[in-house]
Amino acid sequence: LPETGEYELYGRKVNYFSQIERVSANDYNRDKNLFVKLQMCAEKVDCGKSLILKNILYDLDKYFIKEQAKIELNKLVRFMTDNPNVKVELSSHTDCRASGSYNKTLSQNRANAAVDYIVLQGISRNRLIGVGYGESKLLNRCADGVQCSDNEHSINRRTEMKVICPDKN
């Protein structure tokens, strides 16, 4: 490689989240470094298995996509671009604070917001399903009547993704 410059290395494998590693040739002394050791780790995405998207968390009673959530959703966009036959379910959840029917609607709005963002990035809507589960799938003990901190409740306000298994017909 030339002695100066910035490079992006793109690693991809079917059914794995692809990875991009950035390397700056400026960071290496050619008198001391002849080789650069690079390790790329990719997370496997199994058919039908839920995967919690990091940083796809919501504020209480809100369903807009935060800036830090876009980073993770963009990884999903790249995964779907790399695997053009994959369909994905985006399932959104709430904490237990509010009525069950309100939380069901709120979680569906969260799922729809995530789907809409991905569609805006160029992924076909027919490859996505948004499902709101309300407070029916809590990750911790914070159910109705249980005292929990705001931080504990926030864990449940999330979006997960899972690859939809193709029909075996």
Side-chain angles (χ1 to χ4, degrees):
L1 295 177
E3 291 185 28
T4 59
E6 303 284 327
Y7 302 92
E8 285 189 349
L9 302 170
Y10 178 67
R12 147 185 163 183
K13 184 176 179 180
V14 173
N15 295 331
Y16 283 79
F17 273 107
S18 56
Q19 295 291 322
I20 295 177
E21 294 292 332
R22 289 170 180 76
V23 176
S24 173
N26 305 331
D27 296 340
Y28 296 95
N29 179 337
R30 297 287 173 130
D31 294 329
K32 296 179 181 178
N33 300 86
L34 295 177
F35 299 97
V36 174
K37 185 176 181 179
L38 180 69
Q39 181 177 2
M40 296 181 95
C41 299
E43 187 170 4
K44 187 166 182 10
V45 179
D46 290 321
C47 176
K49 179 183 166 200
S50 288
L51 181 68
I52 297 173
L53 298 171
K54 298 174 186 82
N55 299 320
I56 308 295
L57 300 174
Y58 301 87
D59 292 331
L60 179 64
D61 201 31
K62 303 287 187 233
Y63 58 88
F64 64 89
I65 302 297
K66 297 178 179 182
E67 285 303 311
Q68 68 260 32
K70 291 177 182 178
I71 295 166
E72 201 70 8
L73 287 172
N74 288 338
K75 290 180 186 177
L76 178 56
V77 168
R78 188 169 53 242
F79 171 76
M80 293 186 76
T81 302
D82 290 346
N83 297 278
N85 296 321
V86 164
K87 292 184 179 182
V88 169
E89 176 185 298
L90 290 163
S91 56
S92 292
H93 308 268
T94 66
D95 61 31
C96 69
R97 297 181 289 181
S99 72
S101 63
Y102 179 84
N103 283 336
K104 181 84 168 134
T105 300
L106 177 59
S107 65
Q108 187 61 54
N109 287 338
R110 289 174 176 172
N112 293 344
V115 167
D116 290 345
Y117 178 82
I118 292 169
V119 168
L120 284 173
Q121 307 314 305
I123 300 298
S124 173
R125 189 174 297 275
N126 68 4
R127 295 179 60 201
L128 298 159
I129 297 172
V131 180
Y133 287 98
E135 61 187 84
S136 67
K137 296 186 179 190
L138 301 174
L139 293 178
N140 56 22
R141 63 182 181 83
C142 298
D144 288 333
V146 176
Q147 286 288 94
C148 289
S149 69
D150 286 340
N151 195 37
E152 288 174 304
H153 280 298
S154 71
I155 292 167
N156 292 311
R157 299 188 305 262
R158 69 199 188 280
T159 292
E160 299 175 335
M161 63 81 66
K162 70 178 173 184
V163 173
I164 299 169
C165 299
D167 292 332
K168 302 272 192 227
N169 298 341

